[in-house]
């Protein structure tokens, strides 16, 4: 059975939801599922924008057939050819062999690499090219590295719809609710939108800034991303989040305490610090065990907060592996501009503090607090005093900036 939603009078969402996939890109947990969005425009010409993941192809084809209602499919615009959006190109071509595929030179090259053969029925567009589908005129705008180098976005100048590829997307299945004003985004979607952005596109902040700059020059009315809700109200809310994330500016004056603990003593120090911070009025505090929290969630929180406290045992004279994985991901994704607190633990040769501090020195604009805490197996009077001094320093920074 078809399952579609109307976006405007002549534009339909024909995508699909996926609750069967457990790991997006075989790495990111998606307990709320994911949607693959595709849109079909019924103008003098019929135009399909992107396809969906192979696992959702059957539903997708039923949706297209229903909306076309016997009309031919004239064009297929591929804004982004990553397989979660391009895997069904050949299936579309099999059913609609006269369709003309519109995309970038790089995308056509990469389609060939993946074996998505589109033949000669194609139009290769350049930055700023326009096309007329009848009532609707569109302009193609390149968006390299948001998320892959071949990516473009398509702006419908007639009704202000921006087909934004991966940009402005989110993990999470739609489950019927297509529009941002049909959900409580701040409560139910923001964390997954941030986790999606920071882990997948976070590394490419300057490229996202370039797209935001281009977006600032056009009058966008509706944002149609390839994942998650369609935005038709309060676009500034999401644009502002993207601006912060892509400039690596924290969203909140808040503290994340990430701990790596073998027998509970480093965990205990993390909890004591959280209480000391709250005693000082800093209540926007979150505590995470790096051993049991998927690193994609840690990354999302690290992008949200202003202060990160790293509390790690020493393991084989190194940083505990799960903590090191978190640090490597932060560095790989180019996170910067954070204040860092360091808590080390070691029963005979504590090293993790110095190593974590050096690691932060190799990252951009990470400010390591002078107040460091060193535990010999567990908190004692000396290390408890150091912990309180760290709480004082963080509270002074956060409360002082209020
Ligand atoms: Fe949703 Fe970059 O693919």
């Amino acid at each position: 059975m078809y399952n579609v939603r109307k976006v405007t009078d002549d534009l339909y969402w024909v995508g699909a939801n996926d609750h069967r996939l457990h790991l997006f890109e075989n790495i990111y947990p998606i307990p709320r599922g994911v949607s693959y969005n595709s849109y079909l425009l019924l103008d003098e010409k019929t135009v399909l924008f992107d396809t969906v993941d192979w696992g959702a192809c059957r539903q997708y084809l039923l949706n297209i057939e229903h909306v076309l209602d016997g009309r031919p499919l004239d064009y297929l615009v591929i804004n982004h050819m990553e397989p979660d959006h391009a895997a069904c190109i050949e299936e579309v071509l099999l059913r609609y062999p006269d369709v003309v595929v519109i995309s970038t030179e790089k995308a056509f090259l990469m389609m060939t690499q993946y074996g998505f053969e589109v033949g000669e029925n194609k139009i290769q567009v350049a930055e700023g090219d326009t096309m007329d589908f009848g009532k609707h005129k569109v302009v193609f705008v390149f968006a390299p590295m948001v998320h892959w180098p071949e990516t473009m976005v398509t702006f419908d100048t007639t009704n202000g719809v921006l087909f934004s590829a991966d940009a402005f997307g989110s993990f999470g299945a739609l489950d019927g609710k297509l529009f941002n004003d049909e959900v409580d985004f701040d409560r139910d979607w923001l964390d997954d939108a941030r986790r999606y952005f920071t882990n997948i596109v976070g590394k490419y902040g300057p490229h996202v800034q370039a797209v935001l700059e281009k977006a600032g020059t056009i009058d966008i009315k509706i944002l149609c991303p390839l994942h998650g809700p369609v935005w038709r109200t309060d676009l500034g809310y999401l644009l502002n989040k993207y601006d912060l994330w892509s400039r690596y500016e924290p969203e909140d004056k808040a503290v994340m305490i990430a701990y790596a603990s073998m027998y509970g003593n480093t965990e205990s120090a993390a909890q004591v610090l959280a209480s000391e911070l709250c005693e000082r009025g800093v209540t926007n505090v979150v505590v995470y065990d790096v051993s049991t929290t998927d690193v994609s969630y840690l990354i999302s929180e690290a992008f949200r907060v202003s202060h990160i406290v790293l509390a790690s045992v020493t393991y084989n004279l190194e940083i505990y592996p799960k903590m090191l994985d978190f640090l490597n991901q932060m560095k790989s994704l180019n996170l910067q501009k954070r204040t860092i607190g360091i808590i080390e633990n070691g029963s005979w040769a504590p090293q993790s503090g110095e190593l974590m501090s050096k690691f932060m020195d190799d990252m951009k604009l990470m400010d390591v607090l002078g107040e460091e805490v060193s535990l010999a197996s567990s908190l004692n009077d000396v290390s408890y005093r150091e912990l309180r001094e760290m709480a004082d320093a963080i509270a002074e920074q956060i409360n002082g900036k209020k």
Side-chain angles (χ1 to χ4, degrees), residues 23-147:
L23 294 174
F24 187 81
E25 294 186 353
N26 209 17
I27 187 167
Y28 304 113
I30 43 170
R32 295 174 57 242
V34 68
S35 75
Y36 312 109
N37 299 340
S38 171
Y39 306 90
L40 181 49
L41 177 69
L42 300 181
D43 200 347
E44 286 171 25
K45 300 291 184 185
T46 57
V47 189
L48 187 58
F49 293 90
D50 295 292
T51 78
V52 299
D53 187 77
W54 184 249
C57 197
R58 183 171 166 73
Q59 178 69 64
Y60 174 62
L61 293 168
L62 288 169
N63 294 347
I64 296 169
E65 187 181 17
H66 168 71
V67 174
L68 283 175
D69 194 23
R71 290 186 65 183
L73 180 63
D74 296 308
Y75 293 108
L76 168 60
V77 175
I78 297 294
N79 286 304
H80 180 29
M81 68 71 47
E82 191 167 5
D84 56 330
H85 309 294
C88 298
I89 290 176
E90 284 180 304
E91 287 299 317
V92 171
L93 290 176
L94 276 173
R95 284 156 179 78
Y96 307 97
D98 295 328
V99 69
V100 175
V101 182
I102 301 171
S103 199
T104 66
E105 180 182 9
K106 274 202 178 86
F108 282 124
L109 176 67
M110 291 170 79
M111 284 177 214
T112 307
Q113 288 174 200
Y114 274 89
F116 304 152
E117 296 300 342
V118 300
E120 293 308 309
N121 244 2
K122 63 183 181 186
I123 295 174
Q124 187 176 300
V125 294
E127 165 82 10
D129 280 0
T130 58
M131 276 194 80
D132 197 329
F133 298 129
K135 191 174 93 180
H136 294 266
K137 295 176 178 47
V138 301
V139 57
F140 303 105
V141 179
F142 284 16
M145 302 319 296
V146 187
H147 149 227

Side-chain angles (χ1 to χ4, degrees), residues 217-236:
T217 64
I218 53 181
D219 187 16
I220 304 169
K221 299 279 198 306
I222 301 178
L223 277 173
C224 289
L226 288 175
H227 302 284
V230 166
W231 284 74
R232 63 181 178 186
T233 60
D234 203 12
L235 273 57

